[in-house]
């Protein structure tokens, strides 16, 4: 008997490429049929067949409060009554921009857009406009959305060339994007030395969370701050995941390092489509209509999305204990997995972000991340899914904890993970 999800997936594939509106949702690397979701509440997500699952994807990050937080939903409902969009300024945008400036150390002035991709694309444009330089440095394994210039991988002469990481991106569009190795200062120094006076910015996920969670080595972010300053380049922290997640002020507050520009997304929209980029006033004054860098958006600062963002940030701000509780939950899972799985896995955890790599060595960069055993991950994923636990359908995505995760659900999750790992270990030698 086909499930409703299976039927819908077949139907979806007729009208939508691969049946999904974002590739990872297709469950391609885990060999299962994606669950079509009908509703979600708290830490639970419910599919069209009535399967209720404990959700550790949390929409890939926005769901820090859990699903359908009553305060957020109420404000959004009220806002809908006043109209969905005007294409004109509103008081709410002032409120959100002020909140962002208050919470994020590196941001005085910010611009709202509709996605993380747009935020990063625009921040890079500002950095280039401000420095009057063209080249940027990004890190292998860091994801910054799908704009042409950032969809690059290192070329064969790794330190000097980069090539498009997607069909349809002209090589000309990526020739100004240089690729360095995460946690490898030498690779950055070499790029600066080979491109003197040409680097506009270094962009980094201060905690990488799109190759699985990979922490910056001690001193690495300090090094990036120092070399960019020394060489007249800007430092851009892509905090689309880490913003409002590692702490109220994001990774920059957590590590005490202030970048020149910051990009935000995910949590800042409280579950609605918002991205934002911002920095010091002097830099952001490059942006049109004040300055010469053009950037616009029909639905930018949308009143409904802005309402969800404001309410979410207000709830986080009012509750200083929240980050500690979130971290304890992630630590709990990390500890139990390490105890049972031992050296079969590498667990990287920081704040409410967590990755369980199927690798017997430390994961500190792209190479060590992709050395993980994705087949074993798929098996683990299936085991959890069948037990009603919804984790990312890819080894290279983070596990997200929310305020709504109950102790009971976390204990159940740990029990199922331990069950899986004790079997996995006992069959390891066969
Ligand atoms: C998700 C993400 C993006 C892209 O955001 P979208 O809203 O999906 O366009 C950019 N950077 C990082 C670090 C992300 O995690």
């Amino acid at each position: 008997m086909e499930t409703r999800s299976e039927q819908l997936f077949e139907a979806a594939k007729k009208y939508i490429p691969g049946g999904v509106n974002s590739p990872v949702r297709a469950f391609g690397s885990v060999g299962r049929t994606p669950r079509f979701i009908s509703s979600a509440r708290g830490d639970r997500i419910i599919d069209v067949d009535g399967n209720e699952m404990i959700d550790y994807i949390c929409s890939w990050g926005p769901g820090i409060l859990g699903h359908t937080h009553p305060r957020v939903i109420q404000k959004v409902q009220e806002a809908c009554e006043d109209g969905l969009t005007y294409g004109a300024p509103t008081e709410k945008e002032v409120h959100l921009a002020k909140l962002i400036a208050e919470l994020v150390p590196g941001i005085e002035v910010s611009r709202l857009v509709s996605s993380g991709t747009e935020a990063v694309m625009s921040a890079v444009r500002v950095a280039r406009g401000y420095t009057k330089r063209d080249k940027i440095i990004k890190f292998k394994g860091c994801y910054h959305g799908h704009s042409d210039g950032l969809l690059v991988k290192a070329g064969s002469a790794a330190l000097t060339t980069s090539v498009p990481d997607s069909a349809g991106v002209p090589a000309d569009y990526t020739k100004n994007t240089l690729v360095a190795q995460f946690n490898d200062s030498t690779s950055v120094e070499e790029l600066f030395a080979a491109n003197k006076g040409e680097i506009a910015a270094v962009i980094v996920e201060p905690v990488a969370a799109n190759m699985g969670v990979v922490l910056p080595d001690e001193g690495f972010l300090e090094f990036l701050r120092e070399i960019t300053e020394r060489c007249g380049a800007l430092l851009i922290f892509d905090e689309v995941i880490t913003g409002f997640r590692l702490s109220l002020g994001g990774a920059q507050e957590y590590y005490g390092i202030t970048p020149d520009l910051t990009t935000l997304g995910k949590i800042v929209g409280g579950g609605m489509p918002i991205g934002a980029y911002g920095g010091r006033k002097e830099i952001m004054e490059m942006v049109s209509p004040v300055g010469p860098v053009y950037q616009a958006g029909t639905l930018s600062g949308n009143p409904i999305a802005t309402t969800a963002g404001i309410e979410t940030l207000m709830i986080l701000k009012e509750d200083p204990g929240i980050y500690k509780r979130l971290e304890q939950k992630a630590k709990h899972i990390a500890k139990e997995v390490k105890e049972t799985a031992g050296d079969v896995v590498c667990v990287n955890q920081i704040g409410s972000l967590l990755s369980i790599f199927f690798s017997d060595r430390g994961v500190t960069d792209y190479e060590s991340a992709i050395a993980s055993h994705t087949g074993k991950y798929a098996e683990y994923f299936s085991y959890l899914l069948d037990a009603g636990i919804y984790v990312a359908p890819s080894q290279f995505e983070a596990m997200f904890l929310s305020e709504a995760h109950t102790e009971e659900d976390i204990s159940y999750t740990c029990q199922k993970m331990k069950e899986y790992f004790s079997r996995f270990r006992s069959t390891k030698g066969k």
Side-chain angles (χ1 to χ4, degrees):
M1 255 282 282
E2 270 201 333
T3 64
R4 184 82 186 120
S5 280
E6 283 165 343
Q7 288 166 1
L8 283 173
F9 193 41
E10 284 313 306
K13 282 193 274 192
K14 281 191 202 145
Y15 301 108
I16 305 171
V20 291
N21 281 310
S22 201
V24 72
R25 299 179 195 171
F27 280 22
S29 64
V30 289
R32 295 286 299 251
T33 303
R35 299 275 168 95
F36 280 63
I37 305 305
S38 56
S39 68
R41 190 168 301 279
D43 67 355
R44 305 295 182 99
I45 192 164
I46 298 150
D47 74 10
V48 289
D49 292 291
N51 296 305
E52 189 168 321
M53 300 165 282
I54 306 170
D55 180 16
Y56 292 99
I57 299 180
C58 296
S59 190
W60 308 98
I64 193 164
L65 300 174
H67 296 284
T68 44
H69 191 288
R71 263 177 68 179
V72 179
I73 298 296
Q74 192 190 337
K75 291 283 183 187
V76 165
Q77 282 171 342
E78 285 167 14
C80 287
E81 300 289 323
D82 293 332
L84 299 181
T85 176
Y86 324 117
T90 61
E91 186 172 348
K92 284 180 177 146
E93 293 163 82
V94 186
H95 188 171
L96 184 52
K98 204 171 152 203
L99 254 177
I100 291 172
E102 196 186 302
L103 300 179
V104 184
I107 297 186
E108 288 174 2
V109 173
S110 64
R111 184 46 87 71
L112 294 182
V113 292
S114 301
S115 68
T117 295
E118 259 186 280
V120 174
M121 187 181 83
S122 310
V124 168
R125 189 178 299 149
V126 170
R128 286 175 165 151
Y130 180 80
T131 57
K132 301 192 170 63
R133 297 173 176 182
D134 286 343
K135 294 182 179 172
I136 59 166
I137 296 175
K138 82 173 281 288
F139 294 92
K140 215 169 171 182
C142 284
Y143 177 68
H144 302 293
H146 64 87
S147 68
D148 284 343
L150 287 156
L151 281 182
V152 303
K153 56 184 173 194
S156 48
L159 279 174
T160 47
T161 65
S162 54
V163 295
D165 200 15
S166 163
V169 177
D172 261 8
Y173 287 24
T174 58
K175 70 177 185 211
N176 288 314
T177 310
L178 312 173
V179 182
Q181 189 80 352
F182 195 74
N183 277 333
D184 179 354
S185 330
T186 309
S187 70
V188 180
E189 263 161 13
E190 285 174 359
L191 286 176
F192 269 101
N195 299 273
K196 272 212 172 69
E198 294 182 288
I199 309 288
V202 172
I203 182 163
V204 67
E205 287 181 79
V207 170
N210 284 288
M211 49 177 153
V213 177
V214 178
L215 275 59
D217 286 345
E218 208 182 321
F220 182 62
L221 297 175
E222 285 85 348
F223 161 77
L224 294 180
R225 180 62 285 181
E226 186 275 319
I227 193 167
T228 44
E229 238 161 50
R230 172 156 49 88
C231 300
L234 299 187
L235 178 61
I236 307 175
F237 274 7
D238 182 351
E239 297 227 43
V240 171
I241 283 188
T242 52
F244 312 109
R245 178 162 286 280
L246 285 191
S247 74
L248 256 185
Q252 53 196 271
E253 179 179 81
Y254 190 97
Y255 287 104
I257 294 164
T258 307
D260 301 296
L261 286 166
T262 301
T263 57
L264 300 167
K266 301 193 169 116
I267 292 174
V268 76
M272 302 283 287
I274 300 189
Y277 66 99
R280 287 195 304 280
K281 184 163 194 239
E282 158 228 1
I283 299 173
M284 287 302 287
E285 288 204 325
M286 292 305 292
V287 180
S288 177
V290 192
V293 174
Y294 190 71
Q295 185 271 310
T298 303
L299 291 175
S300 293
N302 172 270
I304 312 305
T306 306
T307 299
I310 292 171
E311 204 54 24
T312 300
L313 298 191
M314 292 294 284
I315 293 168
L316 292 171
K317 190 184 142 185
E318 284 164 19
D319 185 350
I322 194 168
Y323 290 98
K324 191 144 203 131
R325 292 198 297 278
L326 284 166
E327 164 144 59
Q328 276 161 357
K329 294 176 195 186
K331 273 197 166 21
H332 180 171
I333 296 175
K335 179 169 165 279
E336 299 227 17
V337 167
K338 277 186 211 157
E339 273 171 20
T340 316
D343 60 6
V344 168
V345 295
C346 163
V347 183
N348 284 356
Q349 177 265 326
I350 180 168
S352 55
L353 292 170
L354 181 76
S355 265
I356 299 166
F357 289 99
F358 284 72
S359 172
D360 55 10
R361 58 183 173 122
V363 175
T364 55
D365 57 16
Y366 180 73
E367 268 66 35
S368 46
I370 60 162
S372 304
H373 198 312
T374 52
K376 281 292 169 198
Y377 185 87
E379 186 185 276
Y380 153 89
F381 169 85
S382 264
Y383 192 86
L384 293 185
L385 185 68
D386 291 334
I389 298 163
Y390 191 67
V391 297
S394 161
Q395 169 73 89
F396 307 111
E397 303 284 354
M399 190 171 176
F400 294 91
L401 274 298
S402 80
E403 173 68 356
H405 283 96
T406 63
E407 223 164 274
E408 205 180 352
D409 283 350
I410 288 177
S411 293
Y412 171 78
T413 302
C414 289
Q415 178 202 328
K416 288 293 160 187
M417 286 177 166
K418 284 160 81 170
E419 216 172 272
Y420 171 78
F421 283 112
S422 44
R423 285 185 201 189
F424 175 68
R425 290 200 89 182
S426 62
T427 57
K428 195 185 162 200
K430 290 182 190 165

